Amino acid sequence: RLASTSTVLANATIVLSGERSWDQVPDGTGACTVQDFSVIASWDWTLVSAPAGSTASLSPSGQGTASRTTLSFDKIGQYLVGLSVDDSSGLVSPPTTFLVTVEP
């Protein structure tokens, strides 16, 4: 789960982490209530939206084994970052988003 929003200053660089991503697995009753951190196989980072004219990008981005990504901001405004994770069974989570507002 990503925090819902954050505010940073212009020209900042942040590191986003998906290291605490988890999968819900069945407990003894069969209900999916147990959080299993060990089964995440890959993280899929995307820059969903950015201010007009921005050339910002995530590094690394896309699907892979990197639980962390770096984003450097080049414009004032709002950036929306998305994260989906795949578990070791090949199931993909719905995307979670994180809104970053860059102020002067």
Side-chain angles (χ1 to χ4, degrees), residues 1-2 17-19 21 42-46 48 66-67 81-85 93-98:
R1 177 177 296 262
L2 294 172
S17 174
E19 290 174 338
S21 299
S42 66
W43 293 260
D44 187 7
W45 293 100
T46 57
V48 178
S67 63
V81 178
L83 172 63
S84 292
V85 294
S93 73
T96 298
T97 57
F98 178 78

Side-chain angles (χ1 to χ4, degrees), residues 31-102:
C32 288
T33 59
V34 177
Q35 296 176 356
D36 187 347
F37 297 92
S38 67
V39 297
I40 302 303
S42 66
W43 293 260
D44 187 7
W45 293 100
T46 57
L47 183 57
V48 178
S49 64
S54 173
T55 59
S57 63
L58 296 166
S59 178
S61 67
Q63 188 172 4
T65 58
S67 63
R68 292 181 179 212
T69 189
T70 301
L71 177 58
S72 297
F73 304 97
D74 61 346
K75 300 277 184 183
I76 295 169
Q78 294 187 324
Y79 296 75
L80 188 62
V81 178
L83 172 63
S84 292
V85 294
D86 297 10
D87 69 12
S88 57
S89 300
L91 298 174
V92 179
S93 73
T96 298
T97 57
F98 178 78
L99 182 64
V100 180
T101 301
V102 178

